Amino acid sequence: MSDVTFGLLISAVIFAVGAMGVLLRRNPLVQFMSIELMLNAVNLALISFSASLGTEEGHVFVLMVLTVAAAEAVIGLGIIVGLFRKRNRIDVDDVHSMDG
Amino acid sequence: MEQVVLLLIGVLAVGSALGVVLMPNAVYSAMMLLLNLLSLATLFLLLHAQFMFAAQLIIYAGAILVLFLFVVTLLNPEGEYIFRDKRRMQRAATISFGLFLGAMLVGAFLAAFNKTQPVFVPTDGTNGSFGSVEAFGIDLFTRFLLPFELTSLVLLVALIGAVVLGKRK
Amino acid sequence: MAEAIGLVVLFPLLGFLAIALLGNSLSEKGAAYLACAAVGFAFLSALASVPAVYDPKDVFLYTWTQAGNWKFSFGLLADPLSVFMCLIVTGVGFLIHLYSIGYMTGEHGEPEADYRRFFAYMNLFVFSMLLLVTSNNFIFLLVGWAGVGLSSFLLIGFYKDKPSAVKAARKALVMNTIGDVGLLLGIFVIILNTGAVNYYHAFRGAEFASDGGWRDIASILLLIAAVAKSAQLPLHTWLPDAMEGPTPVSALIHAATMVTAGVYLITRAHPIFAYSEVALIAIPVIGAASAFYAATCAIIQTDIKRVLAYSTMSQLGYMFMAAGAGAYEAAMFHLLTHAFFKALLFLSAGAVIHAIGGEQGIRNMGGLGKQLPLARWTFLIGALAISGIPVFSGFFSKEAIFAAFPLFGGKEAQVGFGLNETGHIILGWVALLVAVMTAAYMFRLYFLVFSGPKAKSYQTHESPLTMKLPLMVLGALSVVGGFVYVPGAYNLLEKWFEKAHEYVQTTPTRWLIIPYETIEWTNLIGAVGAAIIGWFIAYGIFGRAERVAPSDEVKGFAAFLQNGWYLDKLYYAVVATPVVWVSKLLTKQADKDVAEALDWGIGGSLWASSKLIRKTETGYVRNYALGILVGAVALLAYVLVAAIQR
């Protein structure tokens, strides 16, 4: 199989793995890392398609994704730090006061 | 030769992704993420995206991941185990749907590219070869100027947000 | 000028609003003076609008809606009939307001409780009545009609802590509502057949209707309303009980004005009534029957005000008879004189009641003539007027009515429409008999209250000036008020009502004028003779010094008469009791049980389902994220399947 197909397959697998990681882990930091995994998988897919099409648009898109991921990481980590700063055990399941 | 390298990198990428998700210690997960980023960068290079390879390394591995490591060590968490999760239905549903998602995507790709595979078409662009800095730069600053400027705005907002979040009351 | 008629309606409304809204910040006497001033100014405005009698027109027209053939426009009407009624209502109303200032007080002249409320309600009543008579369309008529019913309810039940008063008020309201329904349905019929609510179009449509059958239906419905409001048979049982209200209320509402609304309606809507054969027979018959019935009941009553109430019903019967025969001018004339002398009678009875501290039973009175001279003389004037003794006003108006019901048959021009000549003759004799009884019970009342031995002795106190003045004015009016018509000489009312038809631009084909060219000696002698016979009867039984000792129990035939031929009890048994029973049943079954079942059923199922749905709101972020994943997977699966099928 060609490079491009391979890249796409890898991307699919990493995406699925990342999705499962978000849902399975209770540590918010690891959840965030799994989200980054998913973003990376998408980047890979974009690069692969860009290679097959021969234009640079995919690359530019990837740059945008990268930028946004960076901004999101900043804010997200800031929120996590704010939420879990004073606790001993950080566990996303501890914040469930908004239940019905 | 190239196929072997490709396969190797692929295995590394998938393996490190699994490692991120499955490792109990958060620092180990971060290290695994680093490995994943590096392997993906290599994949970019193999797909002739030279600039993106460098950008990935600098931005992702060099900035974002470092930020992650800072926060992880700041919060100093204990380890946790997935398989000691109390919410079993969540676990079961997640795994099944996740696997289903992966299978669907992979199957879709394989089915779509059954007859003809997309291949890299090398273009003899007047603005440098494909994936090079020049080509990328020219596209970025002419066709995609507006999105470029807007991302600077995004970064500004993130900056302000970070300042606000970090303030002491 | 004609526009002044708007002021006539406006002043009492402003009076009512001012007293109601200012509440306690207005002193009690201040409220009373304000109310009197409001009605007084209304009277002046009514005088100012007299020129409209010769130039009737609509004022303050306002088109409400126009849809296809239907055009509803509202406004006030200044024409002979409305100005006539306005003058009566505001004039007599002003005198009664003045009287109330002095009457509604306690032992030493301090105002009674709820003084302001009384005057507010009185002004509200006057406003509603004026709206009723000045409207140029059926909608305002209905509004005024309901308004006077409401005011009547409020005023009859003025002593709201007295259970009998509240019951009486309720009875009045229920019976009036029956009339209101009749009026409403009648209006619907009119709209259906003429496409308009204002008088101009409706009456022209009625007068020139090609297919006039609907006029029968409309007039029967409107007749129901008139009967209810004017307390004629069969919707009369509320009037005697309405005497629970204060005496000025009885004078104003249940003698001079509100109960005459029925007569006004018949006169105003005469293009509809005059062309309906059914109505033309029904109205005089109802009037005569009511007059007779009421006179029989009045003879035996032991409460001053109840005698006067039945007397009102009887005189209204006279007016109905005249109006039903097409003699509208005669009916209006009697309305005028009746307002004078009936108000006078009520007010002087009130002076007596007030002087002896609230006692109303005539068994406990007697010989009060020396202590209360003004009340005695004014009552005597009123009694002479109502009996139809010549020179007093009642004589002339009864003459006018008798002219329409000649005792021995008469010239064609005098006999009305509808009933044939025999019918007129019969009703004429009935009317004569009623005149005898009228004089009889009236003088019985006079003798029992003012002369003869005293049943109890009372410490009476003088009435204040505010009470004396209206008595004197009304006394004078009862004497001279009849001279607008002198048989054999002139008839001023004909000039007054000359232009009554100009407004609707029809020729008065069915409007009888009071004849004055010649004197009908048979009627004259008959009426005066009846009065004198009645006086003799009363004098004979009650006038002499010693009289039959009244026993407390009234048995047999007397009890039958005293209880109004037991009609009230009949109504209660036949109508009221089943209705109460059914409504109790409904309250229990339909309201409580069904509503409860519905409430618990719907509410319960919602509650159970929401309990179920609450399970999805766990509060854990991961669960929500799982939801997102499931949704995304489903979407993706759908897209892929769709793509594969292509």
Side-chain angles (χ1 to χ4, degrees):
Chain A
M1 66 174 72
S2 72
D3 316 350
V4 176
T5 318
F6 192 69
L8 288 173
L9 289 177
I10 299 290
S11 147
V13 172
I14 295 183
F15 188 82
V17 167
M20 286 198 279
V22 172
L23 268 54
L24 285 178
R25 296 299 298 251
R26 292 202 305 277
N27 189 335
L29 291 165
V30 179
Q31 279 185 340
F32 217 94
M33 289 187 224
S34 310
I35 293 179
E36 298 295 335
L37 265 186
M38 291 202 293
L39 285 170
N40 269 300
V42 168
N43 282 351
L44 180 57
L46 279 168
I47 301 274
S48 314
F49 278 122
S50 174
S52 89
L53 288 174
T55 64
E56 300 281 332
E57 285 164 356
H59 294 194
V60 173
F61 211 117
V62 169
L63 189 69
M64 304 299 144
V65 173
L66 228 48
T67 316
V68 173
E72 169 204 348
V74 164
I75 303 292
L77 289 173
I79 292 177
I80 292 177
V81 166
L83 267 180
F84 293 101
R85 196 195 290 243
K86 300 255 172 58
R87 300 180 200 232
N88 267 337
R89 214 170 52 96
I90 49 173
D91 185 341
V92 145
D93 283 351
D94 281 345
V95 233
H96 65 266
S97 51
M98 278 187 63
D99 57 0
Chain B
M1 181 56 190
E2 199 183 316
Q3 295 283 24
V4 172
V5 173
L6 210 57
L7 197 62
L8 211 63
I9 300 293
V11 166
L12 201 59
V14 174
S16 56
L18 284 170
V20 167
V21 171
L22 294 175
M23 291 267 175
N25 193 337
V27 182
Y28 289 169
S29 292
M31 289 296 115
M32 287 287 121
L33 183 61
L34 175 63
L35 191 57
N36 191 54
L37 292 172
L38 290 177
S39 50
L40 280 183
T42 322
L43 262 176
F44 287 174
L45 194 59
L46 285 172
L47 285 169
H48 307 274
Q50 302 150 16
F51 182 72
M52 292 325 296
F53 156 75
Q56 170 96 339
L57 281 180
I58 298 171
I59 300 175
Y60 241 118
I64 298 182
L65 194 68
V66 170
L67 186 60
F68 263 108
L69 277 171
F70 272 143
V71 176
V72 166
T73 50
L74 172 71
L75 291 182
N76 210 3
E78 343 172 303
E80 57 162 307
Y81 290 93
I82 306 180
F83 301 104
R84 287 210 199 137
D85 195 347
K86 288 199 202 102
R87 314 198 77 80
R88 302 192 27 195
M89 198 199 72
Q90 161 95 355
R91 210 170 71 205
T94 307
I95 294 181
S96 52
F97 275 103
L99 286 176
F100 182 54
L101 175 67
M104 241 188 352
L105 286 171
V106 168
F109 280 134
L110 284 177
F113 301 139
N114 208 3
K115 301 282 169 50
T116 52
Q117 306 248 335
V119 283
F120 168 60
V121 173
T123 53
D124 251 348
T126 50
N127 305 317
S129 60
F130 175 78
S132 68
V133 179
E134 296 108 295
F136 180 76
I138 291 203
D139 250 351
L140 183 66
F141 291 114
T142 54
R143 283 179 64 198
F144 301 105
L145 187 58
L146 182 63
F148 175 68
E149 298 295 339
L150 287 179
T151 48
S152 68
L153 210 60
V154 169
L155 289 173
L156 179 66
V157 170
L159 204 59
I160 297 174
V163 170
V164 167
L165 279 172
K167 258 172 36 165
R168 290 198 185 273
K169 308 239 168 67
Chain C
M1 63 272 172
E3 282 75 15
I5 204 113
L7 284 176
V8 176
V9 178
L10 187 63
F11 278 121
L13 176 64
L14 290 179
F16 163 67
L17 286 175
I19 300 178
L21 293 174
L22 287 177
N24 280 347
S25 37
L26 201 55
S27 79
E28 287 175 330
K29 287 285 184 181
Y33 293 140
L34 182 64
C36 285
V39 183
F41 280 122
F43 179 65
L44 292 175
S45 313
L47 283 176
S49 57
V50 165
V53 170
Y54 298 104
D55 179 25
K57 56 182 171 179
D58 290 315
V59 292
F60 308 119
L61 273 185
Y62 164 70
T63 304
W64 185 43
T65 153
Q66 201 166 352
N69 278 346
W70 292 9
K71 180 172 179 209
F72 293 162
S73 59
F74 297 152
L76 300 178
L77 173 61
D79 88 330
L81 188 57
S82 63
V83 173
F84 187 80
M85 294 294 295
C86 280
L87 285 171
I88 297 179
V89 172
T90 52
V92 176
F94 173 70
L95 291 170
I96 295 180
H97 274 75
L98 201 57
Y99 179 90
S100 320
I101 299 182
Y103 182 82
M104 300 292 290
T105 58
E107 276 274 316
H108 306 287
E110 82 284 2
E112 259 185 28
D114 284 343
Y115 201 63
R116 294 182 201 95
R117 188 163 67 99
F118 180 80
F119 281 101
Y121 288 161
M122 291 286 270
N123 265 16
L124 176 66
F125 168 77
V126 173
F127 161 69
S128 309
M129 189 73 199
L130 288 170
L131 186 64
L132 200 163
V133 300
T134 55
S135 95
N136 82 335
N137 59 80
F138 279 103
I139 302 294
F140 278 3
L141 179 80
L142 184 63
V143 172
W145 197 270
V148 296
L150 173 71
S151 318
S152 172
F153 168 76
L154 292 171
L155 285 164
I156 296 175
F158 183 70
Y159 297 121
K160 50 185 162 57
D161 299 317
K162 219 167 132 194
S164 54
V166 172
K167 243 178 94 170
R170 218 171 42 195
K171 186 196 283 193
L173 191 68
V174 168
M175 291 199 132
N176 264 299
T177 308
I178 299 177
D180 289 351
V181 170
L183 182 59
L184 193 61
L185 292 176
I187 293 178
F188 287 161
V189 172
I190 293 173
I191 294 179
L192 206 61
N193 285 289
T194 58
V197 285
N198 64 349
Y199 292 156
Y200 178 74
H201 289 109
F203 292 151
R204 283 176 67 78
E207 186 105 9
F208 304 124
S210 47
D211 167 28
W214 64 271
R215 291 180 294 205
D216 281 337
I217 305 175
S219 49
I220 295 297
L221 291 168
L222 292 177
L223 183 62
I224 295 177
V227 161
K229 195 63 83 179
S230 295
Q232 301 291 286
L233 284 174
L235 295 171
H236 63 282
T237 51
W238 62 274
L239 190 59
D241 288 342
M243 297 298 121
E244 295 279 346
T247 308
V249 170
S250 309
L252 182 60
I253 299 187
H254 306 125
T257 44
M258 181 182 103
V259 291
T260 57
V263 184
Y264 167 78
L265 179 64
I266 298 181
T267 309
R268 174 60 82 192
H270 70 267
I272 300 179
F273 284 103
Y275 287 101
S276 155
E277 299 299 324
V278 178
L280 286 174
I281 297 181
I283 301 180
V285 169
I286 289 179
S290 308
F292 178 72
Y293 163 85
T296 58
C297 294
I299 297 186
I300 205 78
Q301 296 296 323
T302 55
D303 179 328
I304 286 190
K305 286 173 62 176
R306 284 182 93 102
V307 175
L308 294 176
Y310 278 113
S311 159
T312 303
M313 183 180 165
S314 178
Q315 299 301 309
L316 284 167
Y318 271 134
M319 290 184 228
F320 263 63
M321 280 170 66
Y328 300 107
E329 280 182 14
M332 283 292 125
F333 186 25
H334 198 57
L335 200 155
L336 175 73
T337 59
H338 177 260
F340 293 152
F341 57 67
K342 193 45 71 61
L344 179 66
L345 285 167
F346 265 110
L347 293 189
S348 45
V352 172
I353 295 172
H354 193 247
I356 63 180
E359 174 64 52
Q360 287 183 223
I362 54 183
R363 297 242 176 107
N364 293 323
M365 301 181 192
L368 289 171
K370 288 213 185 48
Q371 286 175 285
L372 304 168
L374 180 64
R376 173 212 191 165
W377 286 110
T378 49
F379 196 93
L380 185 60
I381 293 175
L384 289 169
I386 197 175
S387 308
I389 304 292
V391 172
F392 292 93
S393 53
F395 164 69
F396 294 105
S397 57
K398 281 201 182 179
E399 270 306 301
I401 295 183
F402 282 130
F405 294 96
L407 294 172
F408 301 105
K411 308 192 285 258
E412 286 308 319
Q414 299 309 324
V415 177
F417 320 99
L419 286 175
N420 59 9
E421 200 177 321
T422 327
H424 275 267
I425 295 178
I426 296 177
L427 290 187
W429 282 100
V430 171
L432 202 62
L433 182 61
V434 172
V436 173
M437 290 197 280
T438 304
Y441 66 68
M442 219 23 125
F443 279 101
R444 161 184 179 259
L445 199 55
Y446 173 75
F447 288 133
L448 281 179
V449 173
F450 291 103
S451 64
K454 290 191 195 195
K456 259 195 206 178
S457 71
Y458 291 99
Q459 188 82 1
T460 59
H461 55 271
E462 270 292 297
S463 315
L465 181 65
T466 52
M467 283 170 64
K468 285 192 190 163
L469 198 61
L471 281 175
M472 295 195 281
V473 173
L474 283 172
L477 283 173
S478 300
V479 175
V480 304
F483 283 104
V484 293
Y485 160 69
V486 175
Y490 60 87
N491 175 10
L492 288 180
L493 285 177
E494 189 190 347
K495 286 225 175 31
W496 182 279
F497 285 115
E498 206 178 334
K499 303 272 181 166
H501 290 86
E502 257 196 31
Y503 170 64
V504 283
Q505 292 168 8
T506 58
T507 49
T509 51
R510 293 200 163 198
W511 174 285
L512 284 181
I513 55 171
I514 312 174
Y516 61 89
E517 288 92 7
T518 60
I519 302 181
E520 284 285 321
W521 287 108
T522 46
N523 284 340
L524 194 72
I525 297 179
V528 180
I532 296 180
I533 294 175
W535 182 85
F536 260 115
I537 296 176
Y539 185 69
I541 302 181
F542 303 103
R544 286 172 293 174
E546 68 338 299
R547 54 177 71 148
V548 180
S551 50
D552 280 351
E553 265 297 306
V554 189
K555 293 202 214 339
F557 185 64
F560 175 72
L561 288 183
Q562 188 169 41
N563 285 316
W565 297 20
Y566 290 122
L567 278 182
D568 197 24
K569 288 203 166 49
L570 183 70
Y571 287 164
Y572 253 102
V574 171
V575 179
T577 318
V579 170
V580 168
W581 183 80
V582 169
S583 51
K584 279 209 177 99
L585 190 72
L586 279 178
T587 315
K588 186 172 180 315
Q589 297 307 116
D591 264 359
K592 262 177 46 194
D593 292 348
V594 171
E596 255 185 46
L598 223 58
D599 185 37
W600 280 114
I602 294 183
S605 62
L606 279 179
W607 189 55
S609 57
S610 82
K611 255 173 78 171
L612 213 61
I613 297 182
R614 272 170 66 197
K615 293 217 169 92
T616 57
E617 301 277 326
T618 55
Y620 293 112
V621 178
R622 299 192 294 138
N623 295 140
Y624 301 155
L626 178 61
I628 298 178
L629 179 68
V630 168
V633 166
L635 208 60
L636 196 59
Y638 172 74
V639 167
L640 283 177
V641 166
I644 285 178
Q645 282 174 349
R646 275 191 281 116

